[in-house]
Amino acid sequence: MLRIGALVSGGGTNLQAILDAIDAGIIPNAKVELVISNKKKAFALERASKAGIKTAVIGRKSYESSADFDYALSEALRASSVDLILLAGFMAILGPGFFTHFENKVMNVHPALIPAFSGPGYYGLKVHEAVLATGCKVTGASVHFVTPEVDAGPLILQKAVDVHQDDDAESLQKRVMEEAEWQIYPQAVSLFAQGRLSVHGHHVIISQ
Ligand code: GAR
């Protein structure tokens, strides 16, 4: 049984997609053990409670330093013996200390085709606003293993999504979520659960 921990900050639609995929058997032999939010009002916490999952709120402001915050998150996840950590709309940056116990065991979904529109400052709606401001015809989503360098870890899956001429940031965000994020995030977790992902340097190999 793959034990999953999730870090969230907001609406939690990606968390919901993972929970639904576990229920549907698309992600085999897995369970979300713990959901931690850095924001106490995150709707993702309600989704987790409704699914009977243990929740916790760990906010950056309760700690003197980023390193202490990273340590608190990492200890809470270790106490639940998780094998995989999913960043699901988690809007805080994790420092190197967080990864000591979780190398190639932390995944993130980013709402653009990395390396485009990624890195510090590119999160949530800001990503889609930047895509529209640039006049891109195509955008998408990426799932990657997380390393201390923001949005720069090894890519696992990506999916392209068309930009429409009449899009605003909200309509584009919705289409990227529906057509890409909610599909490739559960797929990537399913591949991990089946032991089909291996990391070689900066490349992820998917075995058949
Ligand atoms: C999603 O679009 C996710 O890709 C993005 O925030 C949204 C969270 O929605 N994450 C980032 O921008 C991280 N860099 P959700 O809470 O409904 O899953």
Side-chain angles (χ1 to χ4, degrees), residues 90-166:
F90 184 60
M91 302 301 182
I93 293 174
L94 297 166
F98 180 83
F99 298 94
T100 314
H101 300 287
F102 301 120
E103 196 186 357
N104 295 332
K105 288 191 163 67
V106 186
M107 277 187 197
N108 180 44
V109 63
H110 182 75
L113 293 173
I114 292 172
F117 306 105
S118 60
Y122 286 108
Y123 56 89
L125 268 186
K126 286 181 191 292
V127 175
H128 305 291
E129 284 163 3
V131 166
L132 291 173
T134 308
C136 292
K137 304 295 184 187
V138 174
T139 181
S142 307
V143 178
H144 63 97
F145 282 114
V146 182
T147 60
E149 200 183 337
V150 180
D151 296 333
L155 290 162
I156 303 167
L157 293 174
Q158 294 187 292
K159 189 157 189 264
V161 174
D162 286 341
V163 178
H164 294 176
Q165 276 187 183
D166 58 354

Side-chain angles (χ1 to χ4, degrees), residues 64-84:
E64 268 188 21
S65 68
S66 296
D68 290 349
F69 173 58
D70 291 342
Y71 185 74
L73 289 172
S74 136
E75 285 303 292
L77 291 158
R78 265 154 58 82
S80 285
S81 305
V82 301
D83 312 300
L84 175 67

